[in-house]
Amino acid sequence: MPNLITPANRFLASVGTVLILLQMLLICSDIARRSLLSQPIPGVFEVIELTIVAIVFLQIPRAIETGSFIRSDGLFSFTQRRYPRLGRTMDFAFNTVGALVMAAIAYGVYFKLVQAIERNLFTGNPGIFTAPIWPALLCVVVGAVMASLSYVTVTYRHLKNPSLLTGEVRCDGH
Amino acid sequence: AETVNLTTVSGYAKTAAWVQIFEDVYVPAVNAKLAETGNYEINWNYGWGGSIVGPKGELEAIEVGLADIGVVQTVFHPDKLRVYDIAFATPFVTTDLDLVTRTVNDLTAEFPAMQQVWSDNGMHFLTTLAAVDNYQILLNGEYTGPESLNGLKLGGAGMNLRYVEGVGATGVSSTLADFYNGVASGLFDGAIAWATAAEAFKLYEAAPTYVKVDFGGVNSMALSVNEGIWEGLPEEVQIALNESAETYREALAKFSMEEAAQAIDDMVAAGATVVQVSQEDRKIWADGLANIAQEWATEVEATGAPGGDILDAYIAAMKAADQTILRDWSAE
Amino acid sequence: MTGIEIGIISLVVMVVLIYLGMHVAISLAAVSFVAIWVFKGNATIAISLLTIAAKDTVASYSFGVVPLFVLMGLFVTKANLGRDIYAVANAAFRRLDGGLGVATVAANAIFAAITGISIASAAIFTRIAVPEMVRYGHTPRFAVGVVAGSSVLGMLIPPSVLLIIYALIAEVSIAHMFTAGILPGIVLAFLFCMLILMMCRFAPGFTGRVERLVDEERLGLFNGVKLLAPSVLLIAVVLGGIYGGVFTPTEAGAAGAFCAMVIALAKRSLDLRGFWNILTDAGQTTASILFLIIAASMYSRMLGVSGIPSQLSSFVGSLDAGFAFILLIYILLMIFLGTILDSTSIILVLVPLFLPIFADYDVNLIWLGIITVLGVEIGLLTPPLGIACFVIKGSLEDKSISLADIFIGAFPFALAMVLGLLIVIFFPWLTLH
Ligand code: NA
Ligand code: NA
C-alpha cells in the first residue's frame, strides 16, 4: 500500500502541473485575442478561479510526502537528534493531526461535491459563460484523501526506518 | 430578558451601504420591537468584511451555520438563486429600487418556488435588497450616439455584460475594483457601473463621460437566516426580525437612490460630463438586445419554477406602477 | 467559553505547536477546527469552516496567477538571467561592500512595479537572488533576510493588492493610493540599502564577505550589456504590457512566464525534461504556499465567528482618547495582529473598525492607507506567522536554511520598516501630491 502512494501522488501532481501550463496558455491567448481581435475569451476569470483550487489540492499529497510543507524545524530537528524517542512520538502525533485535518477537509468537501453534481452547480453567468464546479471539488476531495494517506505513509516510513528522521528532517519516498 | 446570540455575515465591510444600514436601521428596529415586551434581547456579533467569509461566501456561511443571519448576494449565485435575477434580466423597465424590491418580495410571497430556493439552501428568506440604483456607462472618450460605442471594450460584471451587445460593444468580464486601472491603462474604453460605485471608485477620473443610458435598477441581495436557527427562535423574535426586514429594505432602497443623486452631483463637480441618452436611442438600444428576459425565464423553468409566469407578474406590477417600460419583455 | 478566551487560548496553543515543529498550516487548521468546535459545540460547523476555507480562500484570480509568477521566476533562473544580473551587479558594485544586497533591493523595487502581491516577489527572488548571493560569499541568513525585507516593496510600490483592498474599504481613489505608495516605497528601498551597507561594514560576521571571483572581475561594458539584454527585454515586455494597456498586473504573471520561457528556449537552456521539472517545481512550491494561506484564513475566520473583531471594535470605540493615542493603538494592534494573521485579513478586520473613529479627527485617508499597509507588512517578517518568511522557506532549494535563520535574517529589515513607518508618520507629504 505505501508503495502505491508515491506513483499515485506523482500522477496527481502531474495533472496539477499540466493545469498550470494550461493556465498560462489560456491567459496568454486571452490577452492576444483581446488586443488583436477585440474578442476576449469568455470565462477566463471563472476557469482560473476553479483551476487554482484544483492545482493546490492535486499538488499537496506529493508536497507532504516529500516533506516540503513549511514548518519551523529548529526545535524539531534538535529533538530528533537529542531525544530520538520523544522526536518520533512528536513526529507521529503531528502526522496524525495532519492526517485528521486532511480527512476532515475531504469529508466536508465530499458533501459539497455530491451537492454540486446533483444540483448542477456552476460558476459564471448564464448566457455568457458557465462552468460546472464539480471537477474542481473532485480534485479537492481526491487531493485531501491522498494527503491524509500521505501523512499516514510518512509516519509508517519513519516507524520502519527511524534514520529518515534524524539529521535530515526531509523524508523522500524513495 | 432572555439573550439570543446572533452572528451576522456579509463579505463587505461597514462602508457598504447594506452593512451600514443593517447596523443603523435594522438592528435598532429589531431591538426596539423586542424592547416593547422585554422578553428577549439580541446579542449581535457582527461578522462583516471578510472576517467570516468574503463576498459570495455568505450563502454557504449561513447555510452551514457559521453565521446565523446575513446579506446574501443573490446575483453571485445564478446556479442556486437564478430566479432572483429578474430585474437584471429586464433592463429599461424601472429605476425605482423601492418598487423593485417590494415587487420581488410580493412575487416571493405569491410563488412558492421562490421560497423553495431558500429552503433548498438551508435558509429562511426575510427580504430582498437593492443598492444598484441604475446601471450606466462611463467612457473615457466622447459619446455622440449609440454608434460611438461600436467596437469599444467595456468592463462589466455578470449579466450587465449583455446590455452592450446590441450596440456593437464588447463587454469584458472584470470586477468593480479593476475598472479604474483597466480604463486608465487602456485595457477598456469604459465600464458599466452605477453612480454610487462610479463615484466611490473614482471611475470618472479615468472615464469622465457619464453616459446616462438608464438601464435600470436591480435587486442583487437578500436578507436571510439559517433555517435551523430560524426554527429554533421564539416566535416573538421571529416576528421582530421579519417585520424589521421591511424597514431595512425600504431604508436601503431610499438611501441608495439618494446617494446616487448625490454621487452624480459630486462627479459633475469633479469634472465629469453627464450625457443623457435620448429616449429614441434608448428605445433602439432596448430593441437591439437579445430577449434576455425570455432566456432567463427558460432557464428558471428548467429548474422547475414558473419563470414565464413570474416574468409576466413582474412586468404587470411595473405597468401597474406606471413605469416607462421601453421594452415589454413579457409580451414576446 | 467566551470569544476572547477562545482567542487567547487558541493563540497560545498555535504558537506552541508551530515552534514544536508541526507543519504551520496543519497547526493553524487544527487549532481553528477545535476552537470552533468548542465555541459552537458542534463538530459539523467546525468541518464546514475547514471546507469553506479550503475551497473558497484561494479561488480568486489574483491567487490563481501565483503559480505563473513562480513559474516566471523559475524560467528566469533556468535561463541564467539571475546569474547574469548578479555578475553585472557584482562587477558594477565590486568596490562596495554589500553591493549585491543593494542590487537585490533595486531589482525587487523594479519587480514591485510588475507584481501586486509580496508573496510573488518573495518566491521569485528566493530562487534568483539567494543562490547567487550565497555563491558570492554572503551567509544564507543574510541572503534570505535581504530577500524577505525587499519583498515587502511589492505591496508598497504600485500595483498592489493591499493598496486596492484598503482603497475599497476606505473609499478613496485607487489611483491616489497608488501614487501615494511610490515615494514611501523608494524611501523604504533606500533604508534597506543603507541597512545592508552598514551591516556589511559593521557586522561582516553576520553578512559574510563577498569573494572577488577573478574571471568575472574584468567584465567589459559590451559583455555587461550582452548579459543584461534578455533581462531588460523581459522587464520591458512586462512593464510595457501593463502600462501600455495590453494586460493587467494580474495577467502579467502569465505573460511574464511565457516571455521568460521563450528567452530560456532561445538561450538553449531548456530541454523537455528541464521544462517539466520546472513546471512540477512551480506546482509544488505554489501548493505549500497557498495551502498555508488557506490555513491562515481558517484561523482568521475562526476569530470572526467567535466575535473577536466585534468585541475589539466596541472596546476601542469606548476609549475616549486623543488622535495620537488612537493612532498608536491602531499601529500597535496592526503589528500585533501581523504576528498571527495575514495582511489582507488584518486590513479587512482593522480598517473598517477604525475608520469611523479616525473620521472624528479629520485624518487624511490616503496617508492613513500607506501607514496601514506599511504597518501590516511588518508582520510579514515577524514570527510566529510571517508569510513572507514562510514563502521563502517554501521556495528555497537549499533545505538546510531553517525558518529560524530566515526570521533572524529578516529581523533587521523589520526594524528598518518600523523606521520607514515613523518617517511616513512624521512626514505626511511623502504620501501626498
Ligand atoms: Na507592486
Ligand atoms: Na508575522
Side-chain angles (χ1 to χ4, degrees):
Chain A
M1 175 69 182
N3 297 330
L4 287 177
I5 292 284
T6 304
N9 287 353
R10 284 214 165 131
F11 171 74
L12 292 185
S14 324
V15 177
T17 300
V18 171
L19 287 178
I20 295 179
L21 190 63
L22 292 179
Q23 265 195 341
M24 181 180 81
L25 296 177
L26 176 66
I27 296 178
C28 288
S29 334
D30 182 38
I31 294 171
R33 287 195 40 164
R34 198 176 53 204
S35 4
L36 302 177
L37 310 170
S38 223
Q39 283 176 339
I41 301 176
V44 174
F45 257 69
E46 289 84 356
V47 169
I48 298 289
E49 285 175 4
L50 285 178
T51 48
I52 186 61
V53 182
I55 288 170
V56 170
F57 276 87
L58 289 173
Q59 299 277 357
I60 282 176
R62 180 78 188 143
I64 291 171
E65 194 193 346
T66 59
S68 55
F69 254 30
I70 299 150
R71 72 167 15 141
S72 167
D73 41 18
L75 194 58
F76 187 70
S77 46
F78 172 79
T79 316
Q80 303 302 337
R81 282 194 308 271
R82 276 297 293 277
Y83 310 101
R85 185 183 290 257
L86 176 64
R88 281 203 297 279
T89 313
M90 270 164 62
D91 181 65
F92 178 81
F94 290 170
N95 287 335
T96 307
V97 175
L100 290 175
V101 164
M102 290 298 176
I105 292 175
Y107 178 79
V109 180
Y110 172 75
F111 289 99
K112 297 287 173 191
L113 171 65
V114 172
Q115 192 191 44
I117 294 173
E118 280 174 354
R119 296 172 56 187
N120 295 318
L121 298 184
F122 60 83
T123 179
N125 291 284
I128 299 161
F129 174 87
T130 57
I133 61 169
W134 67 263
L137 294 180
L138 180 64
C139 293
V140 177
V141 173
V142 172
V145 167
M146 290 308 292
S148 186
L149 292 178
S150 296
Y151 269 119
V152 175
T153 307
V154 168
T155 311
Y156 171 78
R157 284 178 186 155
H158 289 174
L159 287 178
K160 270 192 72 175
N161 186 359
S163 66
L164 282 174
L165 260 168
T166 42
E168 257 283 69
V169 182
R170 291 183 67 206
C171 36
D172 278 286
H174 43 111
Chain B
E2 189 186 317
T3 303
V4 178
N5 285 310
L6 287 183
T7 300
T8 71
V9 69
S10 167
Y12 296 85
K14 206 186 161 185
T15 44
W18 52 95
V19 175
Q20 180 92 44
I21 294 193
F22 187 102
E23 283 194 23
D24 295 351
V25 174
Y26 186 58
V27 167
V30 174
N31 289 350
K33 279 205 166 40
L34 293 176
E36 283 167 18
T37 63
N39 293 332
Y40 300 97
E41 201 176 62
I42 293 179
N43 175 26
W44 301 91
N45 167 28
Y46 297 134
W48 308 136
S51 65
I52 298 177
V53 287
K56 198 177 175 177
E58 300 95 342
L59 188 150
E60 273 186 75
I62 300 173
E63 179 183 15
V64 302
L66 276 177
D68 305 312
I69 181 170
V71 180
V72 172
Q73 303 291 325
T74 52
V75 59
F76 291 157
H77 303 280
D79 51 349
K80 292 175 175 169
L81 302 170
R82 182 63 169 151
V83 66
Y84 280 84
D85 287 344
I86 175 111
F88 274 99
T90 53
F92 297 106
V93 164
T94 183
T95 61
D96 183 344
L97 289 189
D98 185 42
L99 175 67
V100 170
T101 47
R102 196 158 17 95
T103 307
V104 172
N105 280 359
D106 291 346
L107 295 177
T108 306
E110 186 184 341
F111 294 95
M114 289 182 73
Q115 295 149 34
Q116 185 62 38
V117 291
W118 294 99
S119 46
D120 284 347
N121 293 292
M123 277 179 280
H124 176 84
F125 170 88
L126 289 177
T127 179
T128 189
L129 298 165
V132 177
D133 70 298
N134 198 349
Y135 274 117
Q136 314 287 7
I137 292 175
L138 285 101
L139 284 183
N140 69 347
E142 275 183 33
Y143 177 84
T144 50
E147 66 285 350
S148 53
L149 291 172
N150 194 18
L152 297 192
K153 282 179 279 190
L154 302 175
M159 277 205 86
N160 69 32
L161 290 171
R162 306 206 56 192
Y163 294 177
V164 297
E165 282 172 0
V167 290
T170 308
V172 183
S173 190
S174 181
T175 57
L176 212 42
D178 290 330
F179 286 170
Y180 183 100
N181 274 329
V183 179
S185 68
L187 205 56
F188 312 136
D189 305 294
I192 310 161
W194 66 102
T196 325
E199 205 270 332
F201 289 85
K202 307 282 184 270
L203 246 181
Y204 61 88
E205 288 175 5
T209 313
Y210 186 81
V211 187
K212 263 188 116 264
V213 197
D214 294 339
F215 289 116
V218 294
N219 62 302
S220 60
M221 304 170 274
L223 179 66
S224 69
V225 186
N226 174 287
E227 203 168 39
I229 296 289
W230 178 259
E231 280 156 12
L233 288 174
E235 201 187 347
E236 195 182 324
V237 178
Q238 287 183 344
I239 291 171
L241 288 174
N242 200 22
E243 287 180 354
S244 308
E246 178 62 14
T247 319
Y248 176 34
R249 174 196 69 73
E250 205 180 326
L252 180 61
K254 293 241 160 71
F255 178 85
S256 302
M257 290 190 285
E258 285 162 17
E259 280 273 280
Q262 180 63 45
I264 294 177
D265 290 346
D266 292 349
M267 285 191 281
V268 170
T273 317
V274 174
V275 184
Q276 177 67 55
V277 178
S278 72
Q279 206 63 359
E280 301 82 73
D281 282 353
R282 290 184 72 228
K283 179 76 182 136
I284 295 169
W285 199 314
D287 290 339
L289 294 183
N291 193 336
I292 53 178
Q294 285 301 336
E295 288 175 24
W296 168 87
T298 312
E299 282 163 34
V300 169
E301 268 160 17
T303 69
D309 295 345
I310 295 171
L311 177 61
D312 292 346
Y314 181 80
I315 297 292
M318 292 299 144
K319 283 179 181 162
D322 289 329
Q323 298 299 297
T324 320
I325 296 171
L326 275 191
R327 180 163 173 185
D328 187 345
W329 299 100
S330 68
E332 298 167 35
Chain C
M1 251 193 268
T2 67
I4 293 287
E5 284 164 0
I6 296 265
I8 292 170
I9 295 173
S10 69
L11 176 62
V12 172
V13 173
M14 182 195 77
V15 170
V16 169
L17 289 178
I18 288 179
Y19 282 131
L20 283 179
M22 184 186 271
H23 284 158
V24 176
I26 297 299
S27 31
L28 283 163
V31 165
S32 314
F33 179 82
V34 174
I36 285 290
W37 189 350
V38 172
F39 185 71
K40 287 273 183 186
N42 182 330
T44 315
I45 293 184
I47 289 180
S48 299
L49 178 93
L50 301 196
T51 307
I52 287 180
K55 68 187 191 50
D56 288 356
T57 305
V58 296
S60 77
Y61 200 76
S62 42
F63 281 119
V65 295
V66 165
L68 301 179
F69 276 106
V70 174
L71 193 58
M72 175 173 149
L74 296 176
F75 280 134
V76 164
T77 317
K78 189 70 181 172
N80 284 327
L81 296 192
R83 183 172 286 236
D84 295 350
I85 292 174
Y86 281 91
V88 175
N90 190 44
F93 296 118
R94 66 175 182 274
R95 286 169 210 286
L96 204 60
D97 263 350
L100 285 185
V102 171
T104 306
V105 173
N108 238 312
I110 295 170
F111 186 73
I114 298 172
T115 180
I117 39 179
S118 295
I119 59 172
S121 307
I124 287 192
F125 280 90
T126 305
R127 286 306 179 88
I128 302 175
V130 173
E132 292 303 314
M133 289 181 69
V134 172
R135 198 165 71 91
Y136 280 102
H138 281 301
T139 61
R141 205 175 257 190
F142 177 66
V144 290
V146 170
V147 169
S150 50
S151 71
V152 302
L153 294 172
M155 275 301 186
L156 209 54
I157 295 174
S160 152
V161 171
L162 280 192
L163 289 177
I164 292 179
I165 291 173
Y166 175 85
L168 296 186
I169 296 176
E171 290 190 0
V172 292
S173 148
I174 294 173
H176 288 171
M177 278 320 299
F178 277 6
T179 31
I182 297 174
L183 274 184
I186 293 173
V187 167
L188 194 61
F190 179 77
L191 287 177
F192 286 162
C193 292
M194 288 292 106
L195 176 69
I196 288 167
L197 295 178
M198 276 163 54
M199 279 165 56
C200 285
R201 180 148 175 87
F202 298 111
F206 184 82
T207 61
R209 284 196 186 279
V210 171
E211 306 283 329
R212 301 225 173 129
L213 303 181
V214 182
D215 55 325
E216 285 167 34
E217 202 160 339
R218 286 182 288 120
L219 189 66
L221 181 68
F222 175 74
N223 282 329
V225 170
K226 210 172 95 183
L227 284 181
L228 277 189
S231 313
V232 172
L233 179 73
L234 178 64
I235 293 170
V237 167
V238 174
L239 280 183
I242 293 176
Y243 291 96
V246 184
F247 44 77
T248 64
T250 336
E251 292 166 337
F258 187 78
C259 190
M261 181 182 79
V262 172
I263 291 175
L265 285 172
K267 290 186 76 178
R268 296 180 189 282
S269 44
L270 197 62
D271 57 10
L272 200 61
R273 169 130 214 105
F275 181 67
W276 180 254
N277 285 343
I278 281 182
L279 278 176
T280 311
D281 197 354
Q284 289 284 297
T285 305
T286 308
S288 53
I289 294 171
L290 290 192
F291 188 67
L292 188 74
I293 303 266
I294 290 173
S297 102
M298 290 172 182
Y299 186 70
S300 72
R301 289 165 199 261
M302 179 278 288
L303 292 183
V305 171
S306 56
I308 290 177
S310 194
Q311 294 180 19
L312 207 62
S313 154
S314 49
F315 168 72
V316 175
S318 69
L319 294 174
D320 191 25
F323 172 66
F325 189 67
I326 295 282
L327 187 66
L328 184 70
I329 292 190
Y330 179 66
I331 291 169
L332 290 180
L333 265 177
M334 266 189 319
I335 296 179
F336 170 71
L337 288 179
T339 62
I340 51 167
L341 289 183
D342 66 287
S343 316
T344 314
S345 302
I346 301 170
I347 292 192
L348 286 170
V349 166
L350 271 193
V351 175
L353 215 119
F354 274 79
L355 274 183
I357 304 173
F358 280 129
D360 296 340
Y361 299 97
D362 207 17
V363 172
N364 182 312
L365 290 179
I366 305 264
W367 172 69
L368 185 70
I370 299 298
I371 291 178
T372 305
V373 171
L374 257 173
V376 163
E377 293 273 288
I378 293 173
L380 285 179
L381 305 181
T382 59
L385 208 67
I387 302 281
C389 298
F390 290 158
V391 169
I392 289 172
K393 176 73 181 155
S395 315
L396 272 174
E397 264 169 317
D398 180 355
K399 299 289 175 196
S400 70
I401 303 175
S402 76
L403 200 52
D405 287 329
I406 304 175
F407 278 123
I408 293 170
F411 185 69
F413 292 89
L415 289 182
M417 288 185 74
V418 175
L419 183 60
L421 180 61
L422 290 174
I423 291 177
V424 171
I425 290 175
F426 289 107
F427 302 99
W429 56 265
L430 283 169
T431 63
L432 312 175
H433 45 95

